[in-house]
Amino acid sequence: MNHFMREITPPDQLEHRVIRALKARALLRRSVASRLGSAAMVAAAGLLLFAGGFAAGASQSRVGMPMGGGGPRFVLLLHETAATASSGVAEHVLVDEYRAWARTVGAGGHAIHGEKLKEEPGDTLSGFFVIEAPSLDAARAIAASCPHVRYGGRIDIREIEPT
Amino acid sequence: MSTGTDEDDRLLVSRFLRTRDESSFRALYRRHTPALYAFSLRLLEHRAVDAEDAVQDMWIRAIERLGGFRWESSLRTWLAGIAVNCCRERSRTGWRWVQPDDLVLDRPDDEAPLDLTMAVDRSMATLPAGCRAVFVLHDVEGYTHEEIGVILGIAPGTSKSQLFHARRRLRALLQ
């Protein structure tokens, strides 16, 4: 007869530890409640990223051009996180980086357009890009190169329904 | 080994992969961790700190690979396989198997299950780590030799011989 305990309750702190470790590796998103809790930090940092810099590259590349190339289009939804809020990088540096990235993407033949969004209390969404890309994988690769990812932000990708 | 609720696992995994959110992960964690923590404790001679580290590493590796999990085994069996590797890396005595030459079928009752007691739980720490893993997986966790073969990367026959040796050693210790 088996008298062993086949289950042993682990210490409560282990669950917290594991979740922290997964988040540190970007394997886990923060919960909605947790994201709402960081709204103050979001307002402080994320929405500035697009300000004043994004449409400026239109004359140099496909940045800012109207969409309409006929290929699949995707929207990259940029969410702020505690990491982006606390990056400590100067605003003008961030703006320059995002602008340079958008130019690079445009120069690569992917029409791109972006806007910052007005702050909504409790919402982490700070802006978006619309890009043309041949496939979802290509769109993912473009999103992965965005400075937003490097600063710990989250990007959700959705394909736009052709009309 | 079937937990009897594989369908629930599929739903939980599907939900997690769709959302990647904390609450979906917590559901998976709370469902499987108590058994895998107990298992890790036994493999690591009841060293709680090492077992907790092993469980943490197991979840990190599992979540990294979860999208590629093909359900060729149950989720619990797959997780146990990862846990074994995480424990193996923390084994202080090295991961040793009992050699075939050691196995002499001199007592017919060595093939019978042991009457498992807490004394056995303590004594199993003296078994070579690989041999102990087979014993824990079979006699404590209830995995079949085929499943143990998948988890440990050994032939089912090896699992049987290691189990035989583990039982014999434990009986000798308890007499």
Side-chain angles (χ1 to χ4, degrees):
Chain A
M1 182 178 173
N2 191 334
H3 295 287
F4 283 109
M5 286 188 295
R6 287 175 61 178
E7 295 193 348
I8 297 175
T9 304
D12 286 344
Q13 49 85 16
L14 181 58
E15 182 171 332
H16 304 307
R17 234 180 80 184
V18 171
I19 287 173
R20 272 202 310 274
L22 291 171
K23 285 179 180 171
R25 291 162 177 78
L27 294 169
L28 200 63
R29 288 178 185 162
R30 291 187 303 148
S31 66
V32 172
S34 173
R35 289 203 303 271
L36 294 178
S38 67
M41 289 185 288
V42 170
L47 297 178
L48 297 171
L49 297 178
F50 298 87
F54 194 53
S59 63
Q60 301 295 320
S61 68
R62 301 189 73 191
V63 174
M65 286 179 65
M67 299 288 123
R73 293 186 304 152
F74 300 86
V75 59
L76 313 185
L77 300 165
L78 276 63
H79 291 267
E80 301 306 311
T81 67
T84 54
S86 60
S87 69
V89 180
E91 178 191 342
H92 71 277
V93 174
L94 293 174
V95 169
D96 284 349
E97 281 198 49
Y98 277 63
R99 185 188 297 161
W101 173 78
R103 282 178 175 156
T104 302
V105 173
H110 305 282
I112 182 166
H113 168 76
E115 298 285 354
K116 75 183 182 73
L117 299 175
K118 280 189 177 178
E119 180 184 348
E120 287 284 344
D123 194 347
T124 59
L125 185 63
S126 59
F128 68 88
F129 291 101
V130 176
I131 62 172
E132 285 185 357
S135 66
L136 179 57
D137 282 345
R140 282 190 180 128
I142 291 168
S145 69
C146 180
H148 195 64
V149 174
R150 186 153 35 83
Y151 286 113
R154 194 182 93 230
I155 301 181
D156 291 338
I157 306 173
R158 296 287 300 273
E159 185 167 4
I160 296 172
E161 184 77 30
T163 54
Chain B
M1 176 185 175
S2 170
T3 57
T5 49
D6 288 348
E7 197 57 37
D8 291 340
D9 277 334
R10 286 176 185 269
L11 289 172
L12 288 173
V13 167
S14 169
R15 181 178 147 212
F16 174 77
L17 291 175
R18 195 172 60 251
T19 64
R20 293 264 170 193
D21 69 10
E22 200 173 306
S23 66
S24 303
F25 173 73
R26 284 185 194 277
L28 281 168
Y29 175 94
R30 291 174 183 176
R31 181 177 172 82
H32 292 288
T33 300
L36 294 163
Y37 178 63
F39 171 60
S40 299
L41 275 173
R42 291 191 168 100
L43 289 191
L44 292 168
E45 296 139 42
H46 295 273
R47 298 194 306 272
V49 172
D50 284 346
E52 289 172 31
D53 287 347
V55 167
Q56 175 175 318
D57 284 355
M58 179 214 71
W59 277 117
I60 291 170
R61 292 178 198 182
I63 294 302
E64 284 173 341
R65 303 170 194 170
L66 192 57
F69 178 51
R70 297 289 171 244
W71 298 97
E72 289 165 357
S73 66
S74 72
L75 182 66
R76 176 69 61 80
T77 300
W78 183 68
L79 291 172
I82 299 172
V84 164
N85 284 329
C86 294
C87 290
R88 190 185 306 216
E89 291 162 13
R90 286 171 175 74
S91 173
R92 291 180 183 172
T93 56
W95 193 264
R96 292 185 298 110
W97 299 102
V98 174
Q99 298 305 307
D101 290 348
D102 295 338
L103 303 178
V104 181
L105 286 162
D106 54 357
R107 288 180 15 190
D109 63 353
D110 282 340
E111 291 186 348
L114 282 175
D115 180 11
L116 300 175
T117 65
M118 291 308 291
V120 175
D121 206 346
R122 287 190 296 273
S123 300
M124 73 173 75
T126 65
L127 294 171
C131 180
R132 185 189 326 142
V134 170
F135 179 79
V136 171
L137 287 165
H138 190 277
D139 278 11
V140 178
E141 302 292 332
Y143 288 94
T144 66
H145 288 296
E146 285 71 25
E147 288 170 329
I148 293 169
V150 171
I151 291 170
L152 297 178
I154 58 177
T158 304
S159 175
K160 288 177 188 173
S161 64
Q162 294 291 317
L163 177 65
F164 163 80
H165 189 72
R167 287 173 174 170
R168 189 175 65 167
R169 287 273 294 267
L170 289 172
R171 275 201 181 86
L173 283 169
L174 294 168
Q175 281 174 351

